[in-house]
């Protein structure tokens, strides 16, 4: 018996894990290497620039004891 297996196509452009906005500077092309497909910065290819800036701000405030981790919005706590 011959079985044909097909890969499902991806849903399109990458989206931010927090705000679901389309990520800029990412590509799905398999011809590019992994580092060429996503930006080389913290959370690159996973969070958009606005959300990563907010994560860095909250992380700095928590580290400087200006804010408690419980005061950070829930969707950002995972990344701190």
């Amino acid at each position: 018996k011959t079985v044909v297996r097909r890969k499902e196509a991806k849903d399109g452009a990458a989206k931010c894990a927090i705000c679901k906005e389309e990520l800029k500077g990412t590509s799905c092309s398999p011809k590019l290497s992994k580092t060429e497909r996503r930006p080389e910065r913290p959370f690159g290819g996973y969070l958009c620039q606005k959300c990563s800036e907010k994560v860095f701000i909250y992380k700095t405030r928590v580290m400087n004891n200006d804010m408690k981790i419980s005061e950070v919005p829930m969707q950002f706590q995972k990344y701190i």
Side-chain angles (χ1 to χ4, degrees):
K1 179 177 177 179
T2 304
V3 178
V4 177
R5 294 180 186 222
R6 296 185 180 136
K7 285 187 177 180
E8 291 185 22
K10 292 192 175 185
D11 293 341
K15 293 180 176 50
C16 174
I18 294 176
C19 67
K20 308 301 183 211
E21 183 181 322
E22 182 179 330
L23 295 179
K24 309 296 184 210
T26 58
S27 174
C28 296
S29 174
K31 294 180 181 178
L32 300 174
S33 68
K34 189 173 184 180
T35 55
E36 291 174 326
R37 279 185 247 155
R38 58 181 162 74
E40 289 191 24
R41 59 177 168 78
F43 304 111
Y46 195 68
L47 296 181
C48 67
Q49 182 64 31
K50 293 176 188 176
C51 291
S52 20
E53 283 179 8
K54 289 178 185 178
V55 167
F56 296 139
I57 290 170
Y58 288 133
K59 187 173 187 174
T60 306
R61 289 179 182 171
V62 168
M63 289 176 68
N64 292 335
N65 295 324
D66 295 335
M67 188 181 234
K68 293 180 181 176
I69 191 89
S70 58
E71 296 172 352
V72 176
M74 185 63 87
Q75 67 257 26
F76 293 103
Q77 286 183 6
K78 175 179 175 182
Y79 306 101
I80 294 180

